[in-house]
């Protein structure tokens, strides 16, 4: 017999933005239509609306004088959309809105018109939250704010104002969302009225600041016949009582750099090694939160350290500090554990031993810390703590020096540090062929060079594989070996399924290892799982909160998503950590060029950096070239060209020879002879790579652009299209979207206007580096200027105020 129809509702958690036009009922019918048309246009122009709709993660519900937007992708989406709408409203001052945000359960359904619809408590409560506000208010339920607070960029916007009570005893605590640019900082009128009626004074608005989500309370879903939206009763308010404090785990610790008391300062790496091994041992205990090395190394011994401030910045309750003194074959280690909240010394000890006992000392210190913090310790974790990394002190010293170089390598634009690290690690594993961590980091250095395209050769791949195999043969069950294998199959083969499988194994053995979450984030990002990618990278930042490279990567994701406000806030966090970092400063200034086609901030920052350190020009000459090229200042572009290394620059595997940049200037100036000469030289370099690696999509894509510039149209199109076949965005969203963008340039330069426009439109619809500023300013797109379809695509990426 036929199966009975399903009657149970399938619930999901959605993130709702409810929008209402204030004063709508006082308007004439014509004015009402005009207001709604304007509202629809503003909402549809926002990046967040377009991204969610194109991904099938948005349901739109009309409400007569407004709308409800039901997002199913990220808790950030309603807030981001509200910010974009608020900024767009500056161009339409006649339109007055109020907004409410809540995350809660909804049920998808098909309405009487056979259209997708939704209903449920998530939508109802968002409407009630909105109804409490006045013009320009953006109000959140406390639950939605607690979800949002995990995204650090939003914390300054959130101000708790109190509790409102609805019919049937429902209570919702409100949070006002504003800063000096958006929102309404005033208390809602109804809140003020309640205060007068109850004769209670409202305490000052307190900053809403909470790191961890409360458990999601079960909600009863209200499905209404004929309408997906419930218009609720007036609310009554209860003022906020207290500030919500940031919870810090009791069993949390930062192991600060140990002071080197040895006269020979060459032993500084030895002191770093002692600290590193204690930190590494503690990080294997799942019952502890242990801050990663990158963040703690910024607190080197120097001026007196304020431990309370350091612990607060790192989000821990305890710190361990100490000193190391080495004299011949003897070593003295001192360590003390401090409760940073009270400055109480919980434990201290000194160890005077033979140098050969240094690893035993580190184990003893780690075990004492675990005991003092009363952390649960499994037999496996106890064995891991007691396991020595190597018996060779000199090999360990080489390893620590290499780790330091590899940490620096992510902040510079050359392979020098990685190559030096490889040399040190090879020496370390030669001294101790059983040095597991030496092989793991050796594999990582080779893999990073291969993935970046610095040396994308079979020989480099084989060197990485050899190191991975050595690690696995030494200790096939170790978390470090499985993390190394995960990185290798990701970098070398883009084998995401295998990499995630290995990361799952590594995570169990390395609960405090941020690189596990970092790599998971990159895999999700390359597979277009953007919300999951953002979450994993933020988890890595919890364990490594002062890692500016992680913040740059988080900002890069926001850049691809064209969520420029969040990108800016994230880079501001990075600049607070590394205020003089050239790359972060330029990346922050470039946001205005990308989002608003305003090159002045990027131009100004580059000028400042050049004045500060003219010798550093080689590190960012390609970015200097780009901003000058977009400004059509070809003399400045020529000065940037002169500062470039002869090898040019490699970005995500795209190895651009210096002659490529020379050709771009000549082409923009109309110098056909110089263009052809420069492109011929560039072609000789890139064609060699393609001949040796015919399946290398990045090299094929670049060769296609070169051939397009040389008038070899058929070859150019074949190469560009082949690159997309090899690296479609469905396989790899980062480089895949770049290959799409470069194919659009190939079509443009070969006169295939219709195909170029279709390719640009496709790239603009997905997360990619194709931005309003790129299309508006880059001379490479000049052949398409004036075409109505091209201008329409450009306008679709424009900030709301700039859109026609």
């Amino acid at each position: 017999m036929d199966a009975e129809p399903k009657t149970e509702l399938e619930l999901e958690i959605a993130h709702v933005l409810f929008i209402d036009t204030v004063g709508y009922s006082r308007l004439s019918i014509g004015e009402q239509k005009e207001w709604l048309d304007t509202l629809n246009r503003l909402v549809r122009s926002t990046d967040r609306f377009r991204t969610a709709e194109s991904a099938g993660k948005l349901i739109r519900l009309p409400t007569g004088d407004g709308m409800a937007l039901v997002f199913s992708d990220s808790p950030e989406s309603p807030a981001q959309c509200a910010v974009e709408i608020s900024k767009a409203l500056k161009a339409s001052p006649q339109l007055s809105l109020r907004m409410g945000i809540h995350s809660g359960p909804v049920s998808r359904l098909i309405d009487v018109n056979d259209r997708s619809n939704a209903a449920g408590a998530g939508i109802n409560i968002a409407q009630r939250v909105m109804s409490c506000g006045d013009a320009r208010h953006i109000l959140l339920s406390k639950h939605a704010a607690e979800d949002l607070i995990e995204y650090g960029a939003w914390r300054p916007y959130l101000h708790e104002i109190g509790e409102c009570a609805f019919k049937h005893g429902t209570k919702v605590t409100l949070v006002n969302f504003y800063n000096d640019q958006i929102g309404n900082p005033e208390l809602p009128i109804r809140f003020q009225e309640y205060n007068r009626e109850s004769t209670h004074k409202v305490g000052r608005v307190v900053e809403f600041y909470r790191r961890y989500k409360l458990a999601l309370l079960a909600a009863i879903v209200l499905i209404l016949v004929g309408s997906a939206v419930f218009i609720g009763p007036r609310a009554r308010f209860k003022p906020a009582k207290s500030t919500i404090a940031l919870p810090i785990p009791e069993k949390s610790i930062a192991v600060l750099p140990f002071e080197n008391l040895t006269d020979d300062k060459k032993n500084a790496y030895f002191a770093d090694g002692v600290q590193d091994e204690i930190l590494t041992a503690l990080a294997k205990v799942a019952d502890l939160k242990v801050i990663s090395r990158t963040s703690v190394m910024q607190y080197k011994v120097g001026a007196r350290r304020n431990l309370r401030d350091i612990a607060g910045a790192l989000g821990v309750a305890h710190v361990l500090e100490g000193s190391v003194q080495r004299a011949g074959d003897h070593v003295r280690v001192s360590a003390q554990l401090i409760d940073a909240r009270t400055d109480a010394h919980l434990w201290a000890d000194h160890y005077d031993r033979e140098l050969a006992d240094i690893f035993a000392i580190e184990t003893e210190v780690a075990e004492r810390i675990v005991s003092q913090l009363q952390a649960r310790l499994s037999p496996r974790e106890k064995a891991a703590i007691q396991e020595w990394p190597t018996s060779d002190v000199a090999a360990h010293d080489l390893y620590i020096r290499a780790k330091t170089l590899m940490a620096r390598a992510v902040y510079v634009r050359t392979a020098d540090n990685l190559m030096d690290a490889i040399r040190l690690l090879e020496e370390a594993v030669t001294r101790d062929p059983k040095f597991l961590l030496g092989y793991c980091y050796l594999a990582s250095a080779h893999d990073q060079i291969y993935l970046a395209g610095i040396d994308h050769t079979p020989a480099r791949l084989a060197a990485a594989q050899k190191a991975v195999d050595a690690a696995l043969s030494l200790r096939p069950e170790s978390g470090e070996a499985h993390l190394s294998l995960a990185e290798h199959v990701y970098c070398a083969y883009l084998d995401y399924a295998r990499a995630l499988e290995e990361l799952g194994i590594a995570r169990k053995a390395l609960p405090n290892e941020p690189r596990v979450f970092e790599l998971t984030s990159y895999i999700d990002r390359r597979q277009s799982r953007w919300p999951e990618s953002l979450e994993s990278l933020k988890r890595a930042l919890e364990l490594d909160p002062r890692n500016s490279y992680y913040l740059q990567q988080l900002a890069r994701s926001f850049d691809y998503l064209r969520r420029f406000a969040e990108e800016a806030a994230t880079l501001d966090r990075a600049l607070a950590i590394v205020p003089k970092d050239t790359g972060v400063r330029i990346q922050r200034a470039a946001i205005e060029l990308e989002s608003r086609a305003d090159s002045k901030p990027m131009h100004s920052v580059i000028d400042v950096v050049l004045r500060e350190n003219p010798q550093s020009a080689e590190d960012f000459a390609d970015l200097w070239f780009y901003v000058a090229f977009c400004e059509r200042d070809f003399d400045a572009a020529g000065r940037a060209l002169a500062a470039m290394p002869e090898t040019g620059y490699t970005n995500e595997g795209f190895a651009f020879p210096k002659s490529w940049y020379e050709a771009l200037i000549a082409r923009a100036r109309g110098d056909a002879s110089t263009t052809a000469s420069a492109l011929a030289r560039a072609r000789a370099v890139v064609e060699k790579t393609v001949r040796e690696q015919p399946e290398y999509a990045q090299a094929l894509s670049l060769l296609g652009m070169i051939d397009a510039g040389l008038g070899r149209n058929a070859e150019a199109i074949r190469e560009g299209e082949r690159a997309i076949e090899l690296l479609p965005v469905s396989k790899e969203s980062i480089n895949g979207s770049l290959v799409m963008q470069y194919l659009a340039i190939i079509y443009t330069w070969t006169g295939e206007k219709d195909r170029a426009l279709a390719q640009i439109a496709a790239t603009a619809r997905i997360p990619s580096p194709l931005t309003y500023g790129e299309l508006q300013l880059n001379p490479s797109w000049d052949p398409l200027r004036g075409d109505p379809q091209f201008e329409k695509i450009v306008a679709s990426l424009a900030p709301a105020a700039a859109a026609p």
Side-chain angles (χ1 to χ4, degrees), residues 576-595:
I577 299 169
V578 286
K580 292 297 184 181
D581 187 281
T582 298
V584 181
R585 291 162 71 184
I586 295 176
Q587 187 179 357
R588 175 65 177 86
I591 293 174
E592 288 301 306
L593 188 154
E594 295 174 330
S595 64

Side-chain angles (χ1 to χ4, degrees), residues 350-540:
H350 303 283
Y351 301 86
D352 289 289
R353 304 275 183 85
E354 297 294 320
L355 181 61
D357 288 337
I358 186 60
F359 299 114
I361 295 173
E362 293 159 358
T363 295
E364 289 180 38
V365 172
E367 289 178 331
R368 289 299 300 270
I369 300 304
V370 170
S371 175
Q372 286 292 324
L373 297 183
Q374 299 181 358
R376 294 187 302 273
L377 194 64
S378 70
R380 177 177 177 177
E381 291 167 344
K382 183 176 179 64
I385 288 177
Q386 293 175 340
E387 195 163 38
W388 291 12
T390 176
S391 58
D392 190 313
V393 174
H396 193 266
D397 208 43
L398 293 165
Y399 157 74
I400 292 297
R401 290 167 61 190
K403 281 185 72 172
T404 303
L405 284 170
M406 291 176 68
R408 291 174 184 165
V410 298
Y411 301 110
V412 298
R413 302 182 62 82
T414 69
D416 293 346
N417 284 345
L418 286 172
M419 297 304 294
D420 287 344
I422 287 172
R423 177 180 54 79
L424 292 169
L425 290 165
E426 286 178 340
E427 187 178 347
V429 297
T430 299
R431 290 186 62 93
D432 180 4
K434 295 184 178 180
F435 192 178
L436 171 74
L437 292 176
Y439 288 113
C440 290
Y441 275 84
L442 181 59
S444 179
H446 284 304
D447 280 325
Q448 289 180 44
I449 288 173
Y450 183 84
L451 180 66
I454 297 166
D455 178 12
H456 194 276
T457 63
R460 183 66 58 186
L461 203 59
Q465 185 69 60
K466 181 179 179 182
V468 171
D469 290 344
L472 287 168
S473 66
L474 283 171
R475 232 176 288 163
E477 77 292 345
S478 75
E480 292 89 350
H482 285 282
L483 175 57
S484 182
L485 178 56
E487 183 177 18
H488 179 59
V489 297
Y490 162 74
C491 292
Y493 309 110
L494 299 182
D495 187 345
Y496 305 130
R498 177 74 184 281
L500 289 172
E501 180 182 336
E502 296 299 327
L503 286 171
I505 299 171
R507 187 179 293 114
K508 294 176 182 177
L510 307 171
N512 286 284
E513 177 53 73
R515 289 193 300 146
V516 171
F517 299 100
E518 177 195 11
L519 187 52
T520 301
S521 173
Y522 297 160
I523 292 171
D524 283 335
R525 185 166 66 181
R526 290 186 188 270
Q527 291 190 296
S528 297
R529 293 195 295 266
W530 294 92
E532 294 86 348
S533 174
L534 294 174
E535 287 296 321
S536 291
L537 200 48
K538 288 168 185 175
R539 176 71 178 113

Side-chain angles (χ1 to χ4, degrees), residues 6 76 94 110 136 173 192 208 263 291 348 477 581:
K6 291 179 65 175
E76 290 185 283
Q94 79 282 3
I110 302 298
R136 296 187 301 110
T173 299
Q192 297 173 20
F208 183 87
D263 291 336
I291 299 302
E477 77 292 345
D581 187 281

